[in-house]
Amino acid sequence: MSIENHTQNHPLQVAKRLEKLKATIFTQISKLAIKHGAVNLGQGFPNFDGPDFVKEAAIQAIRDGKNQYAQGYGVPDLSIAIAERFKKDTGLVVDPENQVTVTAGCTEAIAATVLGLINPGDEVILFAPFYDSYIATLSMAGADIKSITLRPPDFAVPIDELKSTISKNTRAILLNTPHNPTGKMFTREELNTIASLCIENDVLVFTDEVYHKLTFDMEHISIASLPEMFERTVTMNSLGKTFSLTGWKVGWAIAPEHLSWGMRQAHTFLNFTIATPLQCGAVAALRAPDSYYADLKRDYIAKKTILVEGLKSVGFKVFPSSGTFFVLADHTPFGFENDVAFCEYLIKEIGVAAIPCSVFYLNQEEGKNLVRFTFCKDEETLKAAIARMKERLRK
């Protein structure tokens, strides 16, 4: 691939391992949405604020002078709060000092894990469609990427394909449940099969669980909680999705010491440490009462219903979403060649932004019929987007 754009008569420069990557689709879509005044149901950030008790804890930390570098692996109180929450959610007891690492969001947890534990040429399996940073980070690490496609309508794991793909050459599986962009939740049966194959072939699991509190039809299961799996698993999570504070970029990784070591080596030289007062705010968040999570789920179920029923009324085929704040829809009833063409039309002519899903596949043909909408917006915004599509979008 050649770089054709020029700045001041000089070709843009990029390392070969990143040549195939473009500006993230979320940046492109959000920029286009702003330009055309579109309702943005593309990028997954809430248009409402996080809870006051969390913000006040961070503000108080600033006033109390907690403004210098924090301990590199996390403010001790936050590491303890993460361990407490993990025990409550999974039943697993972890050492906050040696097995919990605070990172710049889950994205950095993923990067530090991959860069700290994957060598050039190591084989890593992931499930398509996938969050775009997975491919970027694996490319930076020089991994040999193997992709297994989850297909609509239920996006079930093709067990026979997984069994034929995983081998003694496989270093790790990168898992995401609840799954972005499909809204799928991996079932206990699927996780048990993945776990048994990993144990049999001595494979690690890197699991991204940032939507673990946004579940609707079934309970979230952390694969680390399955027998013999904690010792081979890095569990990654963050504050942003659950507490509507995506701009804080506070995340973490939980892993046994022998895996934390490599991940921490990478983290040290990527970020060293995370904003101290925001970590103090995160302590308050993770110690929120159970009622907070019950209210969160109730609110998101209402938002999901508005979006799903609205999309169906417009003419989309909408696939089930059991978790996250995303739904996938088939745009083909509207007659466009592919998802990118449809999303450009939707923004420019209809005034609504969605994400084309082909970018979430190694083989982009597999995603050309799908677009992703988010319902992490207030109800007025969701209804406005549906109204625009009802008025202007024609089959």
Side-chain angles (χ1 to χ4, degrees):
M1 174 181 174
S2 62
I3 305 299
E4 296 178 350
N5 295 328
H6 292 73
T7 303
Q8 296 179 343
N9 299 320
H10 294 290
L12 300 178
Q13 301 293 309
V14 64
K16 289 187 181 300
R17 62 184 174 275
L18 298 178
E19 274 189 336
K20 64 182 178 181
L21 303 175
K22 301 176 182 178
T24 174
I25 190 64
F26 307 110
T27 299
Q28 296 176 54
I29 292 293
S30 291
K31 185 176 179 180
L32 201 60
I34 291 170
K35 180 179 178 181
H36 292 276
V39 178
N40 192 348
L41 301 188
Q43 193 168 359
F45 60 85
N47 67 342
F48 45 86
D49 210 355
D52 287 341
F53 72 92
V54 180
K55 294 184 290 184
E56 288 300 325
I59 292 167
Q60 190 59 50
I62 293 172
R63 290 179 176 145
D64 291 343
K66 296 178 181 178
N67 299 306
Q68 308 308 322
Y69 289 133
Q71 182 175 307
Y73 305 135
V75 169
D77 280 352
L78 178 54
S79 297
I80 292 168
I82 291 167
E84 290 172 347
R85 171 51 59 185
F86 196 60
K87 180 182 177 183
K88 192 167 188 176
D89 290 340
T90 68
L92 293 169
V93 176
V94 298
D95 176 0
E97 184 175 353
N98 297 304
Q99 297 180 331
V100 176
T101 305
V102 178
T103 60
C106 189
T107 299
E108 194 243 321
I110 295 162
T113 298
V114 169
L115 294 172
L117 296 172
I118 297 298
N119 291 306
D122 280 354
E123 184 178 284
V124 178
I125 296 172
L126 74 169
F127 297 97
F130 41 73
Y131 180 49
D132 63 349
S133 85
Y134 298 168
I135 288 293
T137 303
L138 290 168
S139 296
M140 284 187 252
D144 178 13
I145 303 167
K146 304 291 185 183
S147 175
I148 293 176
T149 300
L150 308 177
R151 302 184 187 280
D154 59 358
F155 300 98
V157 175
I159 297 299
D160 289 342
E161 184 180 351
L162 176 61
K163 288 179 177 178
S164 66
T165 302
I166 196 169
S167 71
K168 299 297 182 183
N169 297 322
T170 306
R171 170 67 169 160
I173 291 177
L174 182 47
L175 187 65
N176 174 211
T177 182
H179 183 259
N180 173 16
T182 67
K184 168 194 171 56
M185 293 183 64
F186 283 67
T187 66
R188 183 174 292 276
E189 182 182 8
E190 288 172 332
L191 293 174
N192 279 334
T193 300
I194 293 169
S196 65
L197 289 170
C198 288
I199 293 167
E200 178 185 343
N201 293 282
D202 193 21
V203 172
L204 303 177
V205 174
F206 306 151
T207 176
D208 170 355
E209 302 184 359
V210 296
Y211 299 99
H212 76 302
K213 290 298 184 184
L214 295 172
T215 62
F216 311 117
D217 303 325
M218 57 190 288
E219 289 301 312
H220 168 72
I221 302 167
S222 288
I223 196 169
S225 68
L226 300 183
E228 300 181 58
M229 285 306 294
F230 178 75
E231 289 302 306
R232 63 180 66 252
T233 302
V234 180
T235 304
M236 303 170 288
N237 213 318
S238 76
L239 193 76
K241 304 301 191 294
T242 306
F243 290 91
S244 304
L245 296 166
T246 58
W248 281 28
K249 296 298 291 181
V250 175
W252 56 87
I254 299 171
E257 287 181 58
H258 65 278
L259 297 181
S260 288
W261 171 249
M263 189 272 296
R264 285 180 166 193
Q265 288 295 93
H267 163 72
T268 296
F269 295 105
L270 286 170
N271 274 323
F272 174 57
T273 190
I274 311 307
T276 303
L278 300 186
Q279 291 193 58
C280 297
V283 174
L286 289 174
R287 290 180 174 152
D290 289 343
S291 60
Y292 173 82
Y293 299 103
D295 291 344
L296 180 79
K297 183 178 290 192
R298 184 190 66 246
D299 290 348
Y300 268 112
I301 288 173
K303 295 177 193 297
K304 176 188 169 189
T305 299
I306 291 171
L307 179 61
V308 169
E309 295 307 314
L311 291 173
K312 287 179 179 177
S313 72
V314 171
F316 288 96
K317 179 180 180 181
V318 183
F319 297 105
S321 173
S322 299
T324 75
F325 42 53
F326 302 116
V327 294
L328 290 191
D330 186 334
H331 68 82
T332 54
F334 302 100
F336 286 81
E337 180 182 1
N338 57 51
D339 56 327
V340 174
F342 175 76
C343 285
E344 288 181 351
Y345 175 82
L346 193 66
I347 292 171
K348 295 176 181 178
E349 304 298 330
I350 309 301
V352 176
I355 298 292
C357 286
S358 57
V359 298
F360 302 136
Y361 294 80
L362 285 183
N363 176 7
Q364 297 197 348
E365 284 291 305
E366 293 180 329
K368 70 177 184 178
N369 294 337
L370 301 173
V371 293
R372 191 194 78 177
F373 292 91
T374 183
F375 50 92
C376 62
K377 310 295 177 182
D378 60 60
E379 293 187 8
E380 182 180 346
T381 298
L382 295 170
K383 290 175 181 177
I386 295 299
R388 287 188 181 191
M389 288 188 281
K390 277 186 175 180
E391 179 184 351
R392 306 172 190 174
L393 190 57
R394 297 287 180 266
K395 291 186 179 180

